[in-house]
Amino acid sequence: MTSFVLLLDPIPADSPATAYEIAATLRFVPATEPILTAFDAGAGRGDGIFETLGAHDGRVRGVDAHLHRLAASAEKLDLPAPHPEQWRAAIAQVMDALPIQGQASIRLTITRGTEAHGPTCWITGTAIASEFPERTTGVRVVTLSRGYTNDVGESSPWLLVGAKTLSYAINMAALREAKRRGADDVIFTSTDGFALEGPTSSLLIRRGTTIVTPAIQFGILAGTTQADLFSHLQADGFTCEYRTIGVEELREADAVWLVSSVRLAVPVTEVDGHTIPTDLALTARMNAALLS
């Protein structure tokens, strides 16, 4: 596996740094070199944020959208705002180091770091050999409660449900629970009966010529891949909506997908043991559009 690590010496978001000055803040390190102290808040408390971008044949997708979401997460956690041009330059350097052909994953990470040195920032780039067969074979999912109501993002913003934080222990525990139940993935639900998102993905459902995703004000993470897909789907003649989705709608849908930056659009074949129709032709068009 080909992997690269690029450290960033963070600069203020409003700094008028030149391209030369930005380049001086970026440094590749060996993938085996430790970059965190034992006292870094990211390692000790999961106190930090990240973004994962997908790349294909030398082109990275959704840079602007991911940097916007990184900044939004930083604001929610009271972290210093990332300098957009510094991070853009860092992404470009990592992309230049990766193989031109094939797929890759680019991960941006900011931790709160230590009191003495402030945030720790880095990017990893990893070439991906997998062809993601689930894009055609699909996944079986179970619904699992997140333990709070649909409006938690507005009523309890300190729970950070709309931020992409490093605290993914619950998400990973949910995926392990899905495996124990004989499924592949999870759709989280609210205690008042609404479908939300997957542990690492956004949710889409189709009813006729309408594609729906949960509205982001209801405590879910804004989906960058989902937003890209909506642009393509609207051009393809579909109506796209943001609204609440009742759990019962999952079983009544004409098709259901989980979408993410690296795995892209994956059809759901089963929800809680109930078979879901799949639209493999539309899925193929969606993934082709994302990869183009």
Side-chain angles (χ1 to χ4, degrees), residues 2 10 49 57 95 137 154 160 184 194 258:
T2 302
I49 56 177
D57 288 349
M95 283 302 300
T137 60
E154 296 176 327
L160 303 176
D184 308 300
F194 295 99
L258 294 177

Side-chain angles (χ1 to χ4, degrees), residues 62-94:
V63 173
D64 289 342
H66 282 282
L67 290 179
H68 176 78
R69 197 167 68 177
L70 186 73
S73 293
E75 183 177 7
K76 287 179 182 290
L77 271 71
D78 297 319
L79 287 167
H83 189 289
E85 294 310 314
Q86 182 189 32
W87 285 87
R88 199 180 305 276
I91 292 168
Q93 281 203 23
V94 172

Side-chain angles (χ1 to χ4, degrees), residues 40-265:
D40 191 289
R45 297 180 177 176
D47 192 357
I49 56 177
F50 77 100
E51 285 289 324
T52 303
L53 294 75
H56 182 253
D57 288 349
R59 293 177 295 179
V60 62
R61 296 186 298 276
V63 173
D64 289 342
H66 282 282
L67 290 179
H68 176 78
R69 197 167 68 177
L70 186 73
S73 293
E75 183 177 7
K76 287 179 182 290
L77 271 71
D78 297 319
L79 287 167
H83 189 289
E85 294 310 314
Q86 182 189 32
W87 285 87
R88 199 180 305 276
I91 292 168
Q93 281 203 23
V94 172
M95 283 302 300
D96 286 344
L98 287 165
I100 294 176
Q101 299 298 318
Q103 300 181 80
S105 171
I106 310 294
R107 181 180 166 110
L108 323 179
T109 305
I110 303 175
T111 78
R112 198 171 302 278
T114 64
E115 289 188 12
H117 299 288
T120 307
C121 306
W122 72 92
I123 294 182
T124 58
T126 304
I128 299 173
S130 172
E131 293 301 321
F132 298 101
E134 59 267 40
R135 291 176 186 168
T136 53
T137 60
V139 292
R140 298 164 297 165
V141 307
V142 292
T143 57
L144 297 178
S145 174
R146 240 186 189 161
Y148 46 65
T149 59
N150 198 45
D151 65 350
V152 68
E154 296 176 327
S155 64
S156 306
W158 53 87
L159 295 179
L160 303 176
V161 291
K164 196 170 181 67
T165 73
L166 294 175
S167 306
Y168 257 49
I170 291 174
N171 302 55
M172 298 300 100
L175 289 174
R176 292 193 297 273
E177 179 62 23
K179 300 295 184 184
R180 281 191 284 268
R181 299 188 185 195
D184 308 300
D185 215 317
V186 171
I187 295 175
F188 282 127
T189 62
S190 65
T191 55
D192 47 351
F194 295 99
L196 300 173
E197 59 190 341
T200 62
S201 55
S202 301
L203 170 66
L204 299 183
I205 71 169
R206 180 172 73 80
R207 299 295 296 269
T209 59
T210 300
I211 308 290
V212 183
T213 195
I216 60 173
Q217 66 263 35
F218 297 117
I220 68 166
L221 187 71
T224 57
T225 305
Q226 165 269 311
D228 283 345
L229 280 175
F230 268 24
S231 297
H232 293 298
L233 289 164
Q234 287 170 330
D236 204 17
F238 287 90
T239 299
C240 296
E241 296 180 354
Y242 294 86
R243 64 167 174 81
T244 55
I245 297 175
V247 174
E248 70 281 355
E249 292 187 67
L250 298 175
R251 301 175 184 87
E252 299 167 357
D254 295 321
V256 178
W257 295 269
L258 294 177
V259 301
S260 56
S261 296
V262 175
R263 200 168 60 166
L264 305 184

Side-chain angles (χ1 to χ4, degrees), residues 6-27:
L6 181 71
L7 288 179
L8 292 79
D9 183 10
I11 57 179
D14 58 356
S15 170
T18 66
Y20 176 80
E21 290 169 332
I22 288 175
T25 68
L26 310 177
R27 176 172 64 93

